[in-house]
Amino acid sequence: MITLSLAAVLFTACRGTQKFQASFTEDKPLYAAVNELIKHPDNAKAQQDVKSLYALSVDRHEQAIAVYRTSTDEKRWDKILREYEALQQMYTSAQTVPALLNFVQPHNYLQQLQDVREDAADYFYNKGTSLMAANEREQNLQANEAFRRSNAYVNGYKDTRALMARSYEQSVVDVVVNRIDNDNLFFNTWGNTGFRYRPEDYQESLVRELGGRNANIVPARFYTDRDASRENIDVDWVVDVKWRSIDANASMPYQFNREVSRNVEVGKDSTGKPVYKTVRATLHITRRTFTVNGGLDYRVNDIVNNLSIDQGLLTQNLSWDDSYATYTGDSRALDNNDWLLIRNRNSNFGPSKEQILDNLMKRMYPDLRRRIEQAAS
């Protein structure tokens, strides 16, 4: 859709370096004839083409408008506006080409454009007020969208701005995100590394990243169970997240050796130059691989109306190696990476339960947050 202001068209026409462009494919022959008439005002064929093609284009757009007006499709308003804007572009173009006015009598469609915008604004305004009367969240959300569309056609139409705010506020629900539950989760572990997994951290992150009390991201206010209790919130929805299963498997230890060597300075010769010696050591490495599959349930429930809003199962898997080493030979042959393997011998082979939960949660967290956000939208 191309809409040209009168000033822009006059500027283009005066320069004479840019052709008029059609906003509809069907109007291209007309604009080709107009551009030819601009270059050659005395061209008889161009004069005749402009006269006949202008009438055909006007008739085609007005017939399309008549058809769209009989439709019940809400997109009809945009389609009607597009037809009128094409007609108004033809009028504006004609006003800037004096030779064209000898063959056509263009009509100004500004009033029709304004009338259609008013009709569309009124249609969506009435739709919004009707939806709000139901006093249900889904209808309030739809009403909010209807008022936004009304205001888009005519900025500040009636009291649409106030109704947008009211319908949005009436659609807002207070949502509690409960602590992520893993209390009854049992699986094999390989010692405790001292790592601390705090499900409350992820619970608080969900609440914060979903917008907390601000209700700006989606029409909902989010609280932890602790905050809701402390602030005496009348809860509408509850989000429960619970680990369903953790399947952790470790391979049998695999042992192998790796020879290492380095040149080290052992003194100086009679001239003061350094003397080097190759020292060697053997690393005795024990390696174990781990694979973990995890399942996380989430449920979003409307506790006021006893409805399930959304639920699902998120799954992820992890795999990594854990190795440690002892050595024989000269310790000077070892580099920093070798020493890291040697110092890892007290790791008790592999991650703790807390590390597994934390790593799995980090992978699942973005999808979990997205699904809760979608459920509240």
Side-chain angles (χ1 to χ4, degrees):
M1 179 171 59
I2 301 176
T3 304
L4 298 174
S5 68
L6 182 59
V9 174
L10 284 171
F11 179 72
T12 301
C14 291
R15 290 180 63 192
T17 58
Q18 186 172 347
K19 296 179 179 180
F20 290 115
Q21 300 291 324
S23 57
F24 277 73
T25 302
E26 295 85 348
D27 291 336
K28 285 184 176 181
L30 168 63
Y31 282 89
V34 170
N35 289 321
E36 181 64 25
L37 191 64
I38 293 172
K39 292 188 294 183
H40 305 289
D42 297 328
N43 186 318
K45 183 178 185 304
Q47 294 172 2
Q48 183 58 41
D49 287 346
V50 164
K51 186 176 181 180
S52 60
L53 291 171
Y54 196 97
L56 285 172
S57 286
V58 169
D59 186 60
R60 182 172 55 253
H61 289 301
E62 289 186 342
Q63 285 188 28
I65 290 169
V67 171
Y68 293 145
R69 285 190 181 279
T70 65
S71 172
T72 58
D73 184 357
E74 291 184 347
K75 295 180 180 178
R76 67 186 182 277
W77 303 108
D78 293 330
K79 294 177 180 179
I80 293 171
L81 283 172
R82 186 165 182 255
E83 299 290 340
Y84 272 130
E85 285 167 349
L87 287 165
Q88 185 63 17
Q89 180 190 344
M90 291 165 54
Y91 167 81
T92 305
S93 302
Q95 297 302 308
T96 62
V97 184
L100 188 60
L101 297 176
N102 295 325
F103 309 103
V104 299
Q105 295 181 333
H107 177 75
N108 190 335
Y109 290 89
L110 281 178
Q111 186 59 53
Q112 285 91 335
L113 281 166
Q114 182 59 30
D115 290 344
V116 173
R117 293 189 183 101
E118 291 277 349
D119 290 344
D122 190 62
Y123 171 85
F124 285 105
Y125 180 90
N126 291 331
K127 178 182 178 180
T129 53
S130 177
L131 286 165
M132 279 189 70
N135 198 29
E136 297 289 341
R137 182 175 191 262
E138 185 59 36
Q139 281 72 15
N140 278 318
L141 287 172
Q142 294 175 17
N144 181 264
E145 177 60 24
F147 291 131
R148 289 182 184 277
R149 294 188 67 177
S150 176
N151 195 65
Y153 285 112
V154 178
N155 189 29
Y157 185 75
K158 295 184 178 180
D159 56 344
T160 50
R161 291 174 182 170
L163 290 174
M164 277 192 286
R166 190 188 309 168
S167 59
Y168 182 84
E169 183 58 32
Q170 289 180 187
S171 69
V172 171
V173 289
D174 290 313
V175 183
V176 162
V177 179
N178 283 322
R179 179 183 180 275
I180 298 169
D181 182 8
N182 62 281
D183 291 342
N184 296 319
L185 185 66
F186 295 97
F187 58 94
N188 291 330
T189 62
W190 305 285
N192 190 338
T193 63
F195 184 89
R196 187 182 182 192
Y197 163 74
R198 278 177 41 88
E200 295 87 353
D201 291 342
Y202 288 103
Q203 175 195 21
E204 291 167 2
S205 291
L206 283 171
V207 168
R208 182 174 59 254
E209 293 181 18
L210 288 167
R213 300 168 176 80
N214 296 324
N216 290 327
I217 302 174
V218 292
R221 289 182 288 258
F222 294 89
Y223 305 86
T224 66
D225 52 341
R226 300 176 298 281
D227 292 338
S229 177
R230 183 174 59 253
E231 299 175 27
N232 294 318
I233 301 298
D234 290 328
V235 180
D236 299 304
W237 292 7
V238 170
V239 177
D240 291 308
V241 183
K242 181 177 182 179
W243 286 103
R244 173 187 286 187
S245 63
I246 297 288
D247 180 18
N249 298 298
S251 68
M252 293 296 293
Y254 167 64
Q255 296 179 332
F256 60 98
N257 296 332
R258 177 159 59 85
E259 304 293 332
V260 295
S261 63
R262 296 178 70 184
N263 288 329
V264 297
E265 185 178 343
V266 294
K268 299 183 184 298
D269 62 13
S270 58
T271 63
K273 292 181 179 180
V275 175
Y276 292 94
K277 176 185 178 181
T278 299
V279 293
R280 304 179 187 280
T282 300
L283 285 167
H284 309 284
I285 302 171
T286 301
R287 175 177 294 169
R288 208 172 186 184
T289 60
F290 303 90
T291 58
V292 181
N293 299 304
L296 189 70
D297 269 319
Y298 74 92
R299 298 175 184 271
V300 183
N301 292 316
D302 177 346
I303 61 174
V304 175
N305 299 301
N306 194 29
L307 294 173
S308 173
I309 304 300
D310 190 27
Q311 63 181 15
L313 174 66
L314 307 179
T315 59
Q316 269 292 351
N317 59 78
L318 300 170
S319 62
W320 63 89
D321 293 342
D322 193 45
S323 301
Y324 84 92
T326 59
Y327 77 95
T328 55
D330 196 321
S331 64
R332 293 174 296 175
L334 305 174
D335 63 17
N336 289 335
N337 290 329
D338 300 331
W339 283 112
L340 286 175
L341 279 173
I342 294 167
R343 294 182 183 121
N344 195 44
R345 64 179 301 173
N346 294 320
S347 66
N348 290 319
F349 284 109
S352 66
K353 170 183 175 180
E354 290 75 16
Q355 282 180 303
I356 290 173
L357 290 175
D358 191 64
N359 278 278
L360 284 172
M361 180 58 76
K362 283 178 179 176
R363 295 195 175 192
M364 295 181 180
Y365 178 87
D367 193 22
L368 176 63
R369 182 184 59 76
R370 179 184 59 81
R371 294 195 186 197
I372 297 173
E373 182 177 307
Q374 287 180 344
S377 297

